Amino acid sequence: MSTAALVTGVAAVQANATAARERITPASAAVAGGTAPACVGREVHENIKVARVANGCGGTMRVRITIDNGPDNSCYSLKNGQALTFRWNLGSYDRTVTC
């Protein structure tokens, strides 16, 4: 293989890798069941047992609020810009996860 062909091949591989990285958004990079990415905003008020999450990821996110020693909420799809408020009676806020 010539040096020119090798350089061309390496450049093509690098271009494909760059294009693949650019397609990965926080929404697509989130792993189901893992902690939701930072682009999902959280506001938690433990004293009144209310949590609000807002999707600022640029695409639809599926999220669930988990509660220690209490019931978790269902999995919700939030479009970019949408928010969800969840109230609970028992336990305490644990985290917001993807689902």
Side-chain angles (χ1 to χ4, degrees):
M1 177 179 279
S2 71
T3 302
L6 182 59
V7 169
T8 301
V10 169
V13 169
Q14 288 174 335
N16 287 339
T18 300
R21 277 193 308 272
E22 290 171 353
R23 284 192 299 269
I24 296 173
T25 63
S28 64
V31 176
T35 301
C39 58
V40 175
R42 296 127 167 112
E43 183 179 334
V44 179
H45 301 280
E46 283 284 348
N47 57 335
I48 58 173
K49 298 191 182 295
V50 173
R52 183 176 188 273
V53 295
N55 178 8
C57 296
T60 300
M61 291 293 294
R62 293 180 50 79
V63 297
R64 173 188 334 257
I65 297 170
T66 63
I67 304 297
D68 277 341
N69 300 315
D72 299 341
N73 76 336
S74 299
C75 184
Y76 288 94
S77 288
L78 297 177
K79 294 180 181 175
N80 186 49
Q82 281 188 316
L84 165 72
T85 300
F86 179 64
R87 291 172 169 73
W88 68 95
N89 293 322
L90 300 171
S92 58
Y93 174 86
D94 178 29
R95 63 188 177 136
T96 300
V97 298
T98 57
C99 50

